[in-house]
Amino acid sequence: MLRKAAKEGIVAETTNLYDHFFLQTGECRAKVTAARLPYFDGDYWPGAAEDIIYQMSQDDDGRKGNKKGILKKPITKRALKASGQSDFSGNASKDLLLMHKLGETIHPMKEDFIMVHLQHCCTHCCTLMVTGNRWVCSQCKDFQLCDGCYEAEQKREDRERHPVNHKDKHKLYPVEIGDIPADTKDRDEILESEFFDTRQAFLSLCQGNHYQYDTLRRAKHSSMMVLYHLHNPTAPAFVTTCNACHLDIESGQGWRCEVCPDYDVCNACYNKEGGVNHPHKLTNHPSLADQNAQNKEARQLRVLQLRKMLDLLVHASQCRCSLCQYPNCRKVKGLFRHGLRCKIRASGGCVLCKKMWYLLQLHARACKESKCDVPRCGDLKEHLRRLQQQSDSRRRAAVMEMMRQRAAEVAGTSG
């Protein structure tokens, strides 16, 4: 897919996180520092970096407590200068040590950390060029500079100019950058779906339904089904299985119990002589057309009601008027007071507390305010953050175990 995108000019370059940020190759003058690394919520490397920083602090504390211990050789100024660092303080030394240890962790699986550049990257400072000109070498295929680095290049001595340590210098010519749209704001409606809240939820959806992307045919089907679940959040997420013959039931082809939460039978088992031995009434599954109509209407109604409830929650948290005319404001305030006085609590089965906690959790997942007035919002956000950290830690441990097994297999094969 990336090769095709590069051929069509959509992608400027493909590389990986390790080669781009951990190595200073060729004429690259950018610092090797953790401050340059890009990351998204739930990424692998920030968690791995936190683990390494914690281990480094533990090692420092151990050396301070045991003066007779063997001190590790500090990182030299020469090594700091070679990595592009101009600051020779202890912080720069720790930064480079972190990058070294993180690089050792990432290197065996660097091909999995794919990076795609949608714009051309400056060879010297490694920033993406989105305005002005990019100065391209007339002879070297992959050498290009931004306006700032080009000006600095002209002020250098001849032996430091491109190509470095060569007698004959190459000419750079400008190419105007003018194919980037001025307005890149996304005006599409935001679609809420629990399957895309975390990586683990999306992984569970794909594993449960055998969505795979290893071939073009499977990738097309999987992408189509993922989009279906995104636009139809109330539709059953997983394939229904017959409780009698244990085969998958096609949509609109089975019977469901009105009492039991997870009892379904296929048409073949239901129509067998003697029927199905089940004490409760079974109703026919709705057809696919009926399901789609119900799902669309239900989704719109659900989203509307949810937005109203969350807006009401924020209003009631900030409202100090005892006779507020905002619809249902006093009811929500009553729920707040109930939560303070209730002895049963949600864990004990209190229906009102359960309803309140559900709304508070929904709000906390979407809230971006650092100082929010909604009760327990900060605590819930911290709880969700810890859960995500635990999930990421388990994922990192599983990846490291997989890499160890792979390395052991390669060593066994070569031996």
Side-chain angles (χ1 to χ4, degrees), residues 319-326 329-331 333 337:
C319 180
R320 300 292 178 266
C321 179
S322 58
L323 299 174
C324 180
Q325 299 301 310
Y326 195 95
C329 176
R330 279 179 281 184
K331 284 185 179 179
K333 287 178 183 174
R337 289 192 293 271

Side-chain angles (χ1 to χ4, degrees), residues 324-356:
C324 180
Q325 299 301 310
Y326 195 95
N328 296 318
C329 176
R330 279 179 281 184
K331 284 185 179 179
V332 175
K333 287 178 183 174
L335 281 175
F336 290 158
R337 289 192 293 271
H338 168 83
L340 293 172
R341 296 193 303 265
C342 183
K343 305 296 182 187
I344 303 171
R345 303 288 181 183
S347 56
C350 177
V351 177
L352 291 177
C353 287
K354 282 184 177 179
K355 186 184 293 185
M356 196 70 234

Side-chain angles (χ1 to χ4, degrees), residues 56 176 246 248 355:
M56 286 165 59
E176 187 178 358
H246 304 293
D248 292 345
K355 186 184 293 185

Side-chain angles (χ1 to χ4, degrees), residues 33-53:
T33 170
R36 286 182 58 227
L37 292 172
Y39 68 93
F40 294 93
D41 187 30
D43 272 359
Y44 177 90
W45 83 259
E50 287 182 10
D51 293 342
I52 293 169
I53 290 169

Side-chain angles (χ1 to χ4, degrees), residues 133-311:
N133 295 316
R134 58 186 180 94
W135 296 82
V136 182
C137 179
S138 57
Q139 297 181 48
C140 303
K141 182 183 177 184
D142 297 321
F143 187 90
Q144 50 199 347
L145 299 178
C146 61
D147 285 331
C149 290
Y150 175 75
E151 289 180 11
E153 178 81 356
Q154 300 307 304
K155 296 174 183 177
R156 290 192 178 95
E157 296 179 13
D158 279 352
R159 64 186 179 85
E160 292 182 347
R161 291 170 65 180
H162 173 73
V164 177
N165 297 328
H166 282 68
K167 185 178 180 181
D168 297 327
K169 300 302 171 184
H170 296 174
K171 186 178 179 181
L172 303 177
Y173 63 92
V175 176
E176 187 178 358
I177 303 169
D179 57 345
I180 300 173
D183 183 12
T184 57
K185 189 175 181 180
D186 186 2
R187 292 180 174 79
D188 289 338
E189 175 192 356
I190 295 174
L191 300 176
E192 300 288 344
S193 175
E194 60 181 345
F195 299 117
F196 302 95
D197 283 346
T198 64
R199 295 181 178 209
Q200 190 58 47
F202 180 66
L203 179 62
S204 299
L205 175 71
C206 292
Q207 286 178 330
N209 291 293
H210 307 293
Y211 297 155
Q212 294 175 246
Y213 295 84
D214 54 341
T215 66
L216 181 61
R217 180 173 174 272
R218 286 175 174 171
K220 284 182 176 180
H221 170 75
S222 300
S223 300
M224 180 184 68
M225 292 309 299
V226 164
L227 289 171
Y228 171 78
H229 288 299
L230 177 63
H231 290 277
N232 298 276
T234 56
F238 300 98
V239 177
T240 306
T241 307
C242 177
N243 285 62
C245 64
H246 304 293
L247 295 176
D248 292 345
I249 302 174
E250 292 185 22
S251 181
Q253 299 297 314
W255 297 77
R256 176 167 297 159
C257 178
E258 294 181 343
V259 179
C260 303
D262 192 22
Y263 187 89
D264 299 86
V265 292
C266 62
N267 284 345
C269 292
Y270 183 81
N271 293 324
K272 276 183 182 177
E273 191 175 346
V276 179
N277 186 20
H278 188 70
H280 306 134
K281 182 182 178 183
L282 302 178
T283 55
N284 195 4
H285 284 191
S287 67
L288 190 60
D290 293 339
Q291 269 187 350
N292 289 339
Q294 291 169 8
N295 285 339
K296 187 176 180 181
E297 189 178 339
R299 179 172 71 86
Q300 291 173 344
L301 185 63
R302 182 170 169 251
V303 169
L304 185 63
Q305 288 176 338
L306 200 57
R307 282 180 182 167
K308 284 182 178 179
M309 284 302 297
L310 293 177
D311 290 343

Side-chain angles (χ1 to χ4, degrees), residues 13-40:
E13 181 191 4
T14 58
T15 179
N16 61 70
L17 190 78
Y18 183 84
D19 289 347
H20 190 74
F21 290 104
F22 289 81
L23 296 179
Q24 262 200 332
T25 55
E27 298 183 42
C28 176
R29 301 176 189 273
K31 287 183 182 179
V32 177
T33 170
R36 286 182 58 227
L37 292 172
Y39 68 93
F40 294 93

